[in-house]
Amino acid sequence: MTPKATILTADEVRRALTRIAHEIVERNRGAENLALIGIHTRGIPLADRLAAKLSELEGVDVPTGRLDITLYRDDLTEIARQPIIRETQVPFDLARRRVILVDDVLYTGRTVRAALDALIDLGRPEGIQLAVLVDRGHRELPIRADYVGKNLPTARTEVVKVRLTETDGVDLVELHDVETLR
Amino acid sequence: MTASTLSRPRHLLDFQGWSRERLTALLDNADTMGQVLDRPVKKVPALQGLTVCTAFFENSTRTRVSFELAARRMSADVVSFAAGASSLSKGESLRDTVEVLTAYKVDAYVVRHHAAGAAHLVARYSGKPVINAGDGRRAHPTQALLDAYTVRQEFGTLEGLTVAIIGDVRHSRVARSNAELLPRLGARVVLCGPATLLPPDLARLPGVTLTTDPREAVRGAHAVMALRLQQERMDAGYLASLQEYADTYQVNERLMAEAESGAIALHPGPMNRDLEISSDTADGPRSRIVRQVENGQAVRMSVLYHLLVGRE
């Protein structure tokens, strides 16, 4: 399973998240009334890290939540295997908050669409923004990210693998050919 | 192992073909379904576009409502079919009725019938996933699943627990399904009732023991389930008198005192209060009877998810 290329090293992941945190503060004129919600699986540690950086920058504790979008997928009757449903945990009121959805890779946009539906069923936030570590293109829906760690033009035959310390023991983003992963 | 790697059963008629891993995944997913029910919007789009038919050939309120709400919470369309108001009363066969419903593009059936095996027939004629919501004395798998879920919710596991089931075991599909399910999930089951209402063949099930002594049954039990005395199914000769039955087999505070200190009381409903269970136990702090009803919806959502989500 040799990667075609290393896209982000651990240091580059850290710098990308630091830059995103600064952009969040800039765009929202601080970190008051923000909330970060990570999409299962790797969006969750990324949201936690961004919250820690916002706390360092602004001295504000930004609440975090976790969102599972399984029940909102638009291909549930088509998928070959049954997905496990994981926990959704948003332990704060969404009203009057600007929510930043966080995910590792933005690809077709279908996961984000499902996350928007899931989030709106939980409450009515003042606004929703999207932060991703990697945007690899190939959108199938009119969705764009507000904060991007790395724009990466890819082919559909390629796979972006994000590994994070919390879930995989290492921070690393790699590009693989789908054939080599089979 | 995850549910995504397990072979997917096509029906829930009983627990044949349902592995321990699949059953555990089903109970795990019921946790998430329960969270959906606590939200302002108690609905998810997982079964959007699918139609579930609740075909009840036998009276039921709570099971039918629970299934219909579960299907609607998952965004399925629901068509409800009551035998009394159907062409069955004009002589149409079950097979023809099911074929008509299937022609209307029903995607799944929930079937309750007074005859054991009716759900199997619907499965054969319809070719669609079927959930058995109670057939004769044979099986009521979703009730057993919600019972197991309620006990697991209380103790965090079923492994090593003892569940005593007391009363009219002979006529109880709930008791049979629980006796089939709970040992698969690691619990021991003690079935108890008067000898006339305690079929000895059930002792052959693994992890199941029988006794006619209720105090012996509840000793060491973590959950005590009272069964409804199904007088409508009794011809004659099973009991000397109802009072005598209540004096000996009623689940009450005196009997619960013999169980484990944290033991909970269950009842699949509907209850004959102060016959098989005393009011003070049914309404007391050990009772999880209302919780069983609440959990029924989440468990049935999870069953629908496991049967209908994903390509066959």
Side-chain angles (χ1 to χ4, degrees):
Chain A
M1 249 194 340
T2 314
K4 274 174 84 170
T6 296
I7 306 303
L8 295 173
T9 62
D11 273 346
E12 287 166 334
V13 168
R14 181 178 50 78
R15 282 190 214 112
L17 291 175
T18 302
R19 180 168 51 74
I20 289 173
H22 280 282
E23 288 173 7
I24 289 171
V25 171
E26 184 71 23
R27 176 167 171 166
N28 294 285
R29 297 187 181 85
E32 294 291 341
N33 299 323
L34 291 182
L36 291 157
I37 295 183
I39 301 174
H40 269 288
T41 300
R42 289 174 184 78
I44 292 168
L46 290 174
D48 290 341
R49 290 193 205 181
L50 283 171
K53 285 185 187 292
L54 291 173
S55 173
E56 278 172 32
L57 291 174
E58 291 293 297
V60 174
D61 281 337
V62 178
T64 59
R66 48 184 60 198
L67 195 64
D68 181 75
I69 55 98
T70 305
L71 294 170
Y72 289 82
R73 287 173 60 158
D74 59 9
D75 60 349
L76 275 176
T77 53
E78 299 300 320
I79 52 173
R81 286 179 173 170
Q82 213 163 55
I84 286 278
I85 315 167
R86 288 157 301 187
E87 191 184 30
T88 288
Q89 201 175 53
V90 179
F92 46 82
D93 191 356
L94 290 173
R96 290 181 295 281
R97 281 191 191 276
R98 272 161 290 155
V99 170
I100 300 165
L101 271 177
V102 184
D103 205 359
D104 53 352
V105 179
L106 178 57
Y107 182 28
T108 62
R110 289 179 187 271
T111 298
V112 174
R113 185 210 63 82
L116 291 170
D117 282 351
L119 196 55
I120 287 163
D121 276 359
L122 296 176
R124 188 177 185 280
E126 190 181 287
I128 303 174
Q129 300 166 15
L130 175 63
V132 297
L133 186 59
V134 177
D135 182 350
R136 63 166 292 192
H138 302 287
R139 217 75 80 239
E140 293 169 4
L141 300 171
I143 281 169
R144 66 166 180 79
D146 299 280
Y147 313 100
V148 179
K150 173 86 176 173
N151 278 298
L152 179 70
T154 59
R156 281 190 182 271
T157 53
E158 293 171 326
V159 174
V160 176
K161 275 188 76 78
V162 173
R163 289 192 279 165
L164 297 173
T165 311
E166 296 89 333
T167 49
D168 312 285
V170 63
D171 279 353
L172 194 62
V173 180
E174 294 170 337
L175 188 66
H176 292 257
D177 268 326
V178 70
E179 289 301 323
T180 62
L181 288 176
R182 281 193 179 136
Chain B
M1 193 183 288
T2 65
S4 60
T5 64
L6 302 170
S7 65
R8 173 183 159 192
R10 183 151 162 72
H11 309 287
L12 178 61
L13 302 173
D14 44 41
F15 296 112
Q16 278 183 25
W18 285 75
S19 64
R20 179 179 178 146
E21 289 78 12
R22 172 64 68 174
L23 291 166
T24 302
L26 195 151
L27 297 184
D28 289 346
N29 281 339
D31 283 339
T32 312
M33 302 305 181
Q35 288 175 6
V36 170
L37 298 175
D38 288 334
R39 293 180 192 168
V41 178
K42 300 172 185 60
K43 194 162 186 161
V44 290
L47 301 185
Q48 199 163 30
L50 299 179
T51 303
V52 174
C53 176
T54 53
F56 277 59
F57 301 89
E58 186 184 74
N59 289 339
S60 160
T61 303
R62 72 181 68 204
T63 305
R64 185 173 57 78
V65 168
S66 174
F67 266 113
E68 290 184 6
L69 279 174
R72 290 194 170 108
R73 304 290 195 208
M74 307 280 281
S75 298
D77 292 316
V78 176
V79 55
S80 185
F81 167 81
S86 79
S87 291
L88 281 171
S89 57
K90 301 176 190 168
E92 186 176 71
S93 71
L94 175 63
R95 177 180 187 161
D96 288 338
T97 302
V98 170
E99 284 177 351
V100 166
L101 289 165
T102 303
Y104 289 144
K105 310 297 181 197
V106 165
D107 296 293
Y109 291 87
V110 179
V111 179
R112 170 172 285 207
H113 203 286
H114 52 79
H120 285 78
L121 284 180
V122 175
R124 191 194 306 163
Y125 297 148
S126 71
K128 300 290 181 186
V130 173
I131 301 167
N132 183 0
D135 62 337
R137 301 175 191 177
R138 206 184 66 84
H140 194 352
T142 59
Q143 177 68 44
L145 283 165
L146 76 89
D147 294 337
Y149 182 75
T150 305
V151 177
R152 194 181 82 153
Q153 194 175 51
E154 190 72 26
F155 297 98
T157 180
L158 288 161
E159 195 67 53
L161 299 186
T162 298
V163 178
I165 301 176
I166 298 176
D168 182 0
V169 177
R170 174 176 296 278
H171 298 102
S172 176
R173 53 200 175 199
V174 174
R176 282 176 189 271
S177 283
N178 268 298
E180 196 185 338
L181 174 68
L182 289 167
R184 283 196 198 205
L185 298 171
R188 194 172 74 91
V189 171
V190 184
L191 298 173
C192 173
T196 50
L197 296 178
L198 197 61
D201 62 296
L202 291 178
R204 289 202 294 268
L205 292 171
V208 175
T209 53
L210 268 52
T211 175
T212 55
D213 179 351
R215 293 180 66 183
E216 182 190 320
V218 302
R219 209 166 293 136
H222 301 85
V224 179
M225 183 189 301
L227 296 173
R228 186 169 71 85
L229 196 58
Q230 300 193 34
Q231 296 173 72
E232 75 277 13
R233 296 189 202 270
M234 293 185 194
D235 312 311
Y238 286 112
L239 297 173
S241 80
L242 292 180
Q243 189 57 53
E244 196 177 335
Y245 174 85
D247 288 346
T248 310
Y249 290 100
Q250 183 183 87
V251 174
N252 51 34
E253 289 306 286
R254 199 174 63 245
L255 189 62
M256 290 300 293
E258 306 273 334
E260 287 287 298
S261 59
I264 58 172
L266 304 170
H267 192 298
M271 284 184 282
N272 294 307
R273 278 175 180 268
D274 299 316
L275 178 53
E276 70 256 2
I277 189 166
S278 68
S279 280
D280 54 354
T281 297
D283 303 327
R286 289 167 176 270
S287 172
R288 297 294 178 273
I289 296 170
V290 174
R291 178 82 60 78
Q292 284 174 280
V293 176
E294 287 172 6
N295 287 341
Q297 212 181 125
V299 166
R300 286 168 177 134
M301 287 168 75
S302 186
V303 169
L304 288 166
Y305 175 81
H306 277 256
L307 289 178
L308 293 178
V309 162
R311 240 179 16 231
E312 284 175 22

